[in-house]
Amino acid sequence: MNQMPPPATQPDRSTSVVGLAVLATLILGVAVWMYTQRPAASILGGAGSAVPSGATPSDLPGFQPDVWYLPDDDLLGFVEIPEGPFQMGGDPTTDRQAFENERWSPTAAQGTVSLPTFYISRFEVTVAQFAAFVGATGFNVGDATLQGRPNHPVSSVSWPDALAYTRWLDATLRESPQTPPALSQLLRDSWKVTLPSEAEWEKAARGTDGRIYPWGNAARSERANYQGEGTTPVGAYLCPDCPYGLLDMSGNVWEWTRSPYQPYPYDPANDREGLGDDALWVMRGGSFTDPERNARTATRGGGDPGARRPFMGFRVAISPS
Amino acid sequence: MSAARRRHPQRRRHASLQRPQTASRPAPSPSPLRLFWVPLALTLGLLLVSFVPRVQGNSVLVQSVWAAAGGLLVWQAVLFVRLRHSSAHRSFHTILRSQHYLQATLHTAVFAYWGYFWRPVYDHVWLLVAQLLFAYAFDMLLSWSRRDSYGLGFGPFPIIFSTNLFLWFRDDWFYLQFLMLAAGFMGKELVRWQRDGKRTHVFNPSAFSLGLFSLVLIATGTTDLTWGQDIASTLTLAPNIYLFLFVIGLVAMYFFSITLVAGSAAIVLFGSSALYGAVTGVPYFIDSEIPSAVFLGLHLLVTDPSTSPRTSLGKAIFGMLYGLGVFVLYAALGAIGVPTFYDKLLCVPLLNLSVQRIDRLVRSLQDNDVIARWRPDWTTARANLVHITVWVLFFSTMTAAGATDGRHRGDSVPFWEQACAEERPRACERLIQLETNYCGDNAGWACNELGRHYAAGTIVVADRDAALGFFSQACELRFQAGCVNLLDEGAPSRADPRALDFRLLLREAGPNLLEMPEPELHARACDHGWTFACDGSTE
């Protein structure tokens, strides 16, 4: 390398002015650029999720885009389940596939649980419905949550995500003039949109005659999406013999409930006694990935509330507070 | 100025003047601009770095390096053409300053030790190489744009290293790192003043760019684009980091007489912090008497001899002002909701600007008979050794008092809960801050506590959305009370931390205690004031 003695010359003064101007411009430019890039302020961090355009189409047969993509019927897809008792749990004498965790008590395979009237949604919550919630609130969801087709069940939702949707739907239905009068009256009477309890879910799935599957006592693959390849549109599997006209109670996606996972017997008055430190919450119904055994109405899954999996979704209920 | 400081510049000057005469007398040059191959080679080196897997892993990073290299190439081309038309020539002269290569060595030691315990530092090595290549080329071109010769030495090393010891941008924003460096070099070259008869740069180059970009980051609320917060809080993952920095600092103190600057800053900070603690009953800096990153800063950021006062008294005043500046800024930034790690960065440029005033103040004080009368008959080198001795004694005392490495009372969450309940100054704010940190580390217990605070609105402004957000976070971390609180908003429940939470809550600013056996964990929890953990039945 050619080395020279230090120069005697002074720096070119004219370049100082230009240089300082460049420096000032650089700083100003960076400041403006950073300002435009800054994330939305949030105490919990995160800028809110964007809703993919395909998740909220202008037209979705069977659903009302202007009513948060809820089903196009009188009660926005909610079905009344009348008050009364039903048999809860799995009885291995009549159902050889019953799991041990379905046993009611050391002395009884099943128990009788009486529930007041409640309402439960005919379909699982769809991608479009959940996208309407995310669009309205900027709620942060996982990357996969809204990637499905709009009429498929939303999946990859955690238990708190599902509850957040129910809180939003509750508040929205209370305030909106589009809410059918019957639902408005329920909400005024202190009913609440939430996840179904495990007992509510089981009663809605099996009715009061203790059937093993929603349609009867034998597995029928044309009635539900289990052992399949992926999710299917909600309600795609018709089930005329299912109680209350509910669809996809078996298969498609596992459904979160608002009940903590703990041993039976189930007490509808208090299902939070003696909770363990480590949270697991009940999910029901099996999914497209599961064998027929998990598609039974009495099957209980314990889900990590933080898990977001492509086979886990939910449906909503309206229950008395 | 110490004898050491006086001797070195002479040696350096000899080196730079003699080498051309003895080693490489300029040969008849085929072209006065042939040295342009050097910035070209550096730029090509920068382009090559873009092909290493670390950079290839992120497309924005690759584009950032290419954009930096592209900018340099355009500048070279324009400069080359302009100079060829004007028949100008450009050259190098060597500047081998010990303050450059020794400081760079010390910086490297810090990176090596810290990175051993915090992996992102080692992951950053290729980006440091890219920045060095960029810095040399940029500095060279900037210099040749304004004068004939570029002083080739180790100068860019401490600038790059000390910048990266405090702030670097995340991969998706790394182009801003190159701009930050560019601002530092431009500040060094362009913002100059006349000092002691010499035209010299006003600002410590790394502190200038750090200060400017800190202001921009604060003003635009974009701190999250950087690793700044993590950098400030992960130094303590390295065991005995204070002792390590102290030893590193001694080397700098011995060679560059920075003892008075660093020592007086540390003494002011320790003193102010202790005074605050004695008056209020709570520590000022949450979990330390001096944050480790500030301790690093007062050894390796504020001590640039070129931009600090030259007299002993001036250095002491400079250091004290730095200590005070950090102390005040920490509270001020916290009060306006800005990350407090900027405290050590923002005051350096202001202090650099005040150097001439400090020099004038010292001169006027030295004219004062009373002060002038007391002048110990020490050589500068001997004075430096005395200062170092005092500093060693002071640091040893602080260490013996538990004010450096080891457990600090502010590490304990129950301590802050108690202090908050007793309404000690800022204790509730610190409790929230601590719980926010632990919640960010995935301690479900801390998230649930935050949710409770936001739901209750007693020590923070009530915020239902925030409360639900924190309960959700707690629940997703399988903290049962958090899930229950999502269902029953009325009276949020709480529960004791689980073993998993304790592995985070009890880490005392060190690494998470993932391997610690549970009995030991509970004993530690008991020491921290978790009374339920003192019961043997929990083991």
Side-chain angles (χ1 to χ4, degrees), chain B residues 138-212:
Chain B
F138 187 93
D139 198 23
M140 206 172 281
L141 292 171
L142 185 61
S143 190
W144 281 350
S145 297
R146 290 167 48 76
R147 61 172 74 82
D148 295 346
S149 183
Y150 172 67
L152 186 62
F154 291 97
F157 273 83
I159 296 177
I160 301 304
F161 285 175
S162 64
T163 302
N164 282 267
L165 277 175
F166 298 96
L167 197 69
W168 76 73
F169 281 85
R170 293 183 186 277
D171 287 1
D172 286 345
W173 308 93
F174 204 75
Y175 49 90
L176 295 169
Q177 187 79 8
F178 290 116
L179 292 177
M180 181 163 73
L181 298 182
F185 282 99
M186 290 171 84
K188 174 171 165 270
E189 179 68 33
L190 301 168
V191 186
R192 302 173 84 85
W193 61 9
Q194 206 71 25
R195 186 176 169 212
D196 299 338
K198 274 178 65 182
R199 193 144 185 90
T200 181
H201 56 280
V202 178
F203 296 109
N204 172 340
S206 47
F208 176 71
S209 53
L210 285 169
L212 265 183

Side-chain angles (χ1 to χ4, degrees), chain B residues 302-376:
Chain B
V302 74
T303 48
D304 173 19
S306 318
T307 53
S308 51
R310 306 235 161 90
T311 61
S312 296
L313 185 55
K315 286 177 184 179
I317 294 172
F318 190 79
M320 283 189 270
L321 287 175
Y322 180 71
L324 277 176
V326 171
F327 192 80
V328 171
L329 274 171
Y330 179 79
L333 293 171
I336 58 171
V338 168
T340 52
F341 74 86
Y342 290 115
D343 55 0
K344 60 194 165 292
L345 308 179
L346 287 173
C347 52
V348 185
L350 295 175
L351 284 173
N352 291 152
L353 273 178
S354 68
V355 160
Q356 300 228 42
R357 285 175 195 276
I358 294 173
D359 281 341
R360 274 201 296 276
L361 174 71
V362 169
R363 272 196 296 273
S364 70
L365 287 174
Q366 282 171 341
D367 290 342
N368 180 314
D369 281 350
V370 179
I371 292 172
R373 208 170 294 152
W374 189 78
R375 278 217 177 120

Side-chain angles (χ1 to χ4, degrees), chain B residues 479-502:
Chain B
F479 192 77
Q480 191 71 279
C483 300
V484 171
N485 289 335
L486 284 174
L487 287 171
D488 303 330
E489 286 185 56
S493 57
R494 68 185 309 203
D496 291 328
R498 303 161 297 178
L500 184 63
D501 298 311
F502 273 147

Side-chain angles (χ1 to χ4, degrees), chain A residues 99-123:
Chain A
F99 289 97
E100 184 56 32
N101 70 350
E102 297 165 19
R103 186 173 184 84
W104 194 250
S105 71
T107 54
Q110 288 183 305
T112 303
V113 174
S114 193
L115 294 175
T117 301
F118 65 95
Y119 291 75
I120 193 164
S121 57
R122 186 184 310 280
F123 305 119

Side-chain angles (χ1 to χ4, degrees), chain B residues 64 92 152 178 202 234 288 313 327 406-407 427 431 435 449 492 505:
Chain B
S64 302
F92 292 119
L152 186 62
F178 290 116
V202 178
T234 54
S288 62
L313 185 55
F327 192 80
R407 196 182 139 201
L431 176 64
E435 287 175 348
E449 289 300 296
L505 297 173

Side-chain angles (χ1 to χ4, degrees), chain A residues 4 12 16 33 158 272 308, chain B residues 92 146 175 220 476 488:
Chain A
M4 303 286 286
D12 176 2
S16 297
W33 174 246
S158 68
R272 313 240 177 94
R308 292 182 174 87
Chain B
F92 292 119
R146 290 167 48 76
Y175 49 90
T220 54
E476 292 197 356
D488 303 330

